[in-house]
Amino acid sequence: MNIVVTLKQTFDTEANIVLKDGKIDATGVNMVMNPYDEFAVEEALKLREKDGGEVVIVCMGGADSEKAVRTALAMGADRAVLINDPALDASDEWVRAEVLAKAIKDIPFDLLLAGRIAVDDQSSQVAVRVAEVLGMPSVTSILKLDVDGGKATVTREIDGGTETIEVPLPAMLTAQKGLNEPRYPTMPGIMKAKKKEMKTVTLADLGLNAADFAPKMTAPVYSLPEARKAGVVIAGEEPIDAVKKLVKLLHEEAKVV
Amino acid sequence: MAKGIWVIIEHHDGEVRKVSLEILSKCREIADKTGDPLVAVIPGKDVAALADSVAAYGADKVILVDDAKLEGYTTGAYTSALSKVAKKEEPAAIIIGNTAIGKDLAPRLAQRLGAGMASDAVGMEHDDANFLSFKRPIYGGKAFATVSATSKPVVATIRPNALSLGEADAGRKAEVVNEAAEIDADDLKAIVKEVALVASARPELIEANAIISGGRGMKGPEHFAILEACADTIGAAVGASRAAVDAGFIEEKFQVGQTGKTVSPTLYIACGISGAIQHLAGMGSSKVIVAINKDPEAHIFTLADYGIVGDLFEIVPLLTEEFKKLS
Ligand SMILES: Cc1cc2nc3c(=O)[nH]c(=O)nc-3n(C[C@H](O)[C@H](O)[C@H](O)COP(=O)(O)OP(=O)(O)OC[C@H]3O[C@@H](n4cnc5c(N)ncnc54)[C@H](O)[C@@H]3O)c2cc1C
Ligand SMILES: Nc1ncnc2c1ncn2[C@@H]1O[C@H](COP(=O)(O)O)[C@@H](O)[C@H]1O
């Protein structure tokens, strides 16, 4: 079974966010594979180990995204396509989905795996949009996956519980935390990854014209939240006095109970 | 010309979900300014009875998309039916809650309509240039992006508890129309085999007004009972840090944070939680944060509105007793 995994490189979740000239400043930030995409890569590798086939990574991003892509190759993915074109700097989710779908179309696959959300832009749109462009069903936020005879049986999270869905392949599934425990790249894995194919393509290579992809959303205007400040900390009191004081504050000052 | 603000209504057990009413309340204000009709679109089976409650929260018009195939949510059937009605009616905006259903449906619908979308917005305003602008947290709430669409319709999902609920006016009436659900066979490929709902008297985490969460400091699964007892006195939901989940104290679905649920309650009480940046990503937009931690240096105290330095095993049961006295 052939599997395509879309992945994106994002800021480390520990990173501080600083604005510079109205843009998010990436200077000095440690870049990592989007955490939810790790689940997608892991699931793809497990399926390949069981059924054979090929795991292909598709990533859109700048040349620095090679780092996340190499990590996926070091985990065990077979090859990768990196879509790197400066015209995509100003893309929105619609543009990203159209372009990713075009790149994915050329790769033979039975299953498309992605993360539930990218932790930087927090859109949770791109993968589902790709499925729509490719005309295949999408199941989001999956916690369990079984593939058997041309169909996938997945358990997904819903409000108040879970549901089990059966879907014919090809299909697109997005990974939620709990699906698996991603492996770490091993030393031999890292060495091997250096020799694996990573093809960098531009929009023109994909037969696309940047002029056809004017974003449907305006460029974001960024702002920073007001920092929360330390409030009233009750320390050094008998527990019952501390609790009485807290409840009085919550009731009379904050008016939340 | 695209006109009208659509709110897609979610309902459960014959009641409209609170987040749908929050969105209607805000969109009523906006519609009063722009003159757009406010349209509540109710997909489902036997949904006519819900029309009055959405009218009470400001809908001018109610579109019932009533069909047995829409009884339970599926991505395909809902996308198929709603996209067709949208193509016919040409609304300027389509808004839904950032719930399990909203998150799944909205991007699929947006793509089918060739629309831009703002996800998980915590604010929406009328905007002269582009009709509506949306403010949304990014990077785990460490920044916001304000965006609007360059074309219509714009699709958006709104975080539960982010917008305030208006007053219901039972006297308000809306025009009610039916639209047939036309569902393409191609959109029915995914089949729901089983739905496993966990019956709980407690509110859904993402919609709860109050949440009491436990972290590694809870020490073991058996101790979550003290949080549950406390939660029940104020109608709160129970949550957890990833450390508590990873240690097996509580199920994954209760995790709050970057790789868990994002919540925005009025009151968030963190018990035995240090306040790591990834936990904050999930609860930093709570209105009032309370910390109970035995370490006075715990990071959570730098951002909590109220805190008690103390042993949670002593504090929480006392808190339960004091909360009981309030009601
Ligand atoms: C990619 C990534 C994603 C992540 N996603 C999440 C996420 O979604 N959610 C999340 O929560 N974390 C997440 N984390 C983990 C996060 O970094 C922290 O490790 C985690 O939040 C710590 O949980 P904690 O506060 O319960 O535990 P700790 O940091 O160990 O804190 C326990 C606290 O309990 C206090 N304590 C102990 N005993 C008592 C007692 N008897 N009474 C009172 N206080 C007591 C201690 O003083 C301490 O402050 C993520 C990390 C990464 C790298
Ligand atoms: N630039 C990108 N390159 C490859 N995959 C992406 C990209 N952006 C988003 N994705 C995929 O879509 C998922 C959801 O991303 P988002 O819609 O940005 O939250 C991610 O987890 C990735 O699997």
Side-chain angles (χ1 to χ4, degrees):
Chain A
M1 195 172 67
N2 297 320
I3 304 167
V4 169
V5 182
T6 56
L7 73 79
K8 179 180 189 186
Q9 179 160 291
T10 63
F11 282 25
D12 186 327
T13 53
E14 295 280 349
N16 271 327
I17 301 299
V18 177
L19 296 184
K20 196 176 155 201
D21 303 328
K23 294 249 171 351
I24 307 264
D25 188 9
T27 313
V29 172
N30 183 33
M31 303 300 285
V32 298
M33 189 193 310
N34 176 39
Y36 289 96
D37 297 342
E38 289 184 12
F39 302 127
V41 173
E42 176 63 33
E43 201 62 17
L45 295 176
K46 276 171 46 186
L47 285 168
R48 188 198 57 194
E49 279 155 13
K50 202 164 93 2
D51 298 332
E54 195 183 36
V55 174
V56 183
I57 304 298
V58 178
C59 173
M60 177 191 297
D64 65 326
S65 292
E66 274 190 28
K67 185 183 168 197
V69 174
R70 287 282 173 213
T71 304
L73 294 174
M75 286 169 77
D78 297 287
R79 62 187 178 93
V81 178
L82 175 62
I83 310 163
N84 179 2
D85 194 309
L88 292 166
D89 288 352
S91 63
D92 66 355
E93 294 84 0
W94 174 76
V95 176
R96 293 199 274 278
E98 293 282 348
V99 174
L100 282 167
K102 185 79 174 46
I104 291 166
K105 232 186 233 161
D106 295 336
I107 305 167
F109 71 93
D110 308 287
L111 183 64
L112 190 52
L113 288 170
R116 172 178 81 74
I117 190 170
V119 299
D120 50 4
D121 63 39
Q122 295 186 193
S123 292
S124 211
Q125 294 183 29
V126 173
V128 173
R129 284 176 179 270
V130 168
E132 173 68 20
V133 180
L134 297 175
M136 61 183 58
S138 54
V139 184
T140 56
S141 210
I142 71 165
L143 298 166
K144 191 167 177 286
L145 169 62
D146 287 303
V147 176
D148 186 22
K151 68 176 199 304
T153 306
V154 291
T155 303
R156 72 181 288 263
E157 187 173 50
I158 57 174
D159 289 342
T162 57
E163 65 184 4
T164 305
I165 293 184
E166 203 177 273
V167 61
L169 301 183
M172 198 285 303
L173 312 173
T174 73
Q176 166 67 315
K177 179 174 182 273
L179 180 62
N180 54 45
E181 274 303 324
R183 69 196 66 190
Y184 290 103
T186 58
M187 217 36 219
I190 294 168
M191 297 312 290
K192 265 199 229 159
K194 291 188 176 144
K195 296 196 205 85
K196 287 180 178 169
E197 177 189 305
M198 190 175 79
K199 202 165 129 196
T200 299
V201 298
T202 60
L203 287 181
D205 293 334
L206 292 172
L208 300 174
N209 185 348
D212 296 333
F213 295 100
K216 308 231 178 233
M217 298 301 285
T218 55
V221 176
Y222 297 108
S223 57
L224 296 179
E226 247 178 77
R228 289 192 92 107
K229 291 192 287 285
V232 183
V233 179
I234 307 165
E237 296 197 18
E238 281 303 311
I240 184 66
D241 298 331
V243 169
K244 279 192 192 299
K245 202 182 249 180
L246 173 69
V247 172
K248 192 167 167 11
L249 285 165
L250 291 178
H251 188 59
E252 289 171 12
E253 188 179 89
K255 298 192 167 60
V256 291
V257 289
Chain B
M1 241 277 280
K3 204 165 164 58
I5 302 174
W6 268 27
V7 181
I8 298 180
I9 303 297
E10 276 191 68
H11 47 91
H12 185 67
D13 283 344
E15 279 201 51
V16 176
R17 280 185 74 164
K18 191 173 110 211
V19 61
S20 300
L21 299 176
E22 290 166 359
I23 300 169
L24 276 174
S25 305
K26 179 68 191 180
C27 289
R28 181 68 261 159
E29 278 174 33
I30 294 173
D32 283 339
K33 266 190 227 155
T34 63
D36 277 88
L38 177 58
V39 182
V41 179
I42 317 183
K45 182 172 170 278
D46 301 330
V47 288
L50 299 171
D52 284 346
S53 45
V54 296
Y57 281 89
D60 298 308
K61 180 175 169 183
V62 180
I63 299 180
L64 306 173
V65 191
D66 210 315
D67 195 289
K69 286 202 192 73
L70 301 177
E71 181 165 16
Y73 172 77
T74 62
T75 318
Y78 271 59
T79 306
S80 216
L82 294 175
S83 64
K84 287 199 182 136
V85 185
K87 278 179 185 159
K88 186 172 144 208
E89 299 279 316
E90 297 191 0
I94 302 176
I95 324 279
I96 185 169
N98 196 52
T99 58
I101 289 176
K103 279 188 251 194
D104 186 79
L105 173 66
R108 189 99 206 188
L109 190 59
Q111 188 65 26
R112 190 158 301 184
L113 297 172
M117 172 177 159
S119 311
D120 196 18
V122 295
M124 67 181 284
E125 294 301 335
H126 171 242
D127 172 277
D128 279 327
N130 295 312
F131 185 49
L132 293 176
S133 72
F134 300 90
K135 184 175 179 183
R136 42 184 309 271
I138 53 173
Y139 294 91
K142 285 181 272 185
F144 291 105
T146 301
V147 290
S148 50
T150 54
S151 60
K152 287 175 180 168
V154 60
V155 176
T157 63
I158 308 284
R159 182 176 294 185
N161 280 338
L163 304 176
S164 40
L165 191 62
E167 295 280 327
D169 174 359
R172 275 192 67 105
K173 290 281 168 273
E175 175 198 0
V176 180
V177 300
N178 280 283
E179 287 287 346
E182 290 173 36
I183 300 168
D184 292 335
D186 229 27
D187 278 317
L188 294 172
K189 282 185 190 155
I191 297 159
V192 177
K193 289 284 175 186
E194 193 190 330
V195 178
L197 293 179
V198 183
S200 167
R202 290 188 198 99
E204 189 64 41
L205 249 187
I206 58 165
E207 268 186 321
N209 255 321
I211 296 173
I212 305 190
S213 281
R216 200 194 307 272
M218 294 302 297
K219 303 228 159 48
E222 64 282 12
H223 302 306
F224 268 79
I226 65 169
L227 290 193
E228 288 164 5
C230 189
D232 291 342
T233 60
I234 55 166
V238 171
S241 73
R242 173 154 163 184
V245 169
D246 287 353
F249 298 172
I250 185 163
E251 281 170 77
E252 194 110 45
K253 65 177 180 188
F254 293 105
Q255 181 181 317
V256 171
Q258 189 116 42
T259 40
K261 300 272 157 32
T262 305
V263 298
S264 232
T266 309
L267 174 64
Y268 188 91
I269 307 181
C271 307
I273 292 178
S274 63
I277 192 90
Q278 296 91 352
H279 189 72
L280 203 61
M283 45 61 87
S285 63
S286 306
K287 193 160 154 245
V288 172
I289 296 175
V290 174
I292 298 168
N293 198 300
K294 68 177 182 191
D295 173 10
E297 302 297 323
H299 184 251
I300 189 100
F301 286 122
T302 67
L303 54 100
D305 300 281
Y306 303 100
I308 295 181
V309 178
D311 184 343
L312 74 91
F313 294 102
E314 284 183 301
I315 303 293
V316 174
L318 290 169
L319 194 57
T320 306
E321 292 313 310
E322 289 304 308
F323 279 158
K324 273 188 197 156
K325 288 183 195 161
L326 286 176
S327 52

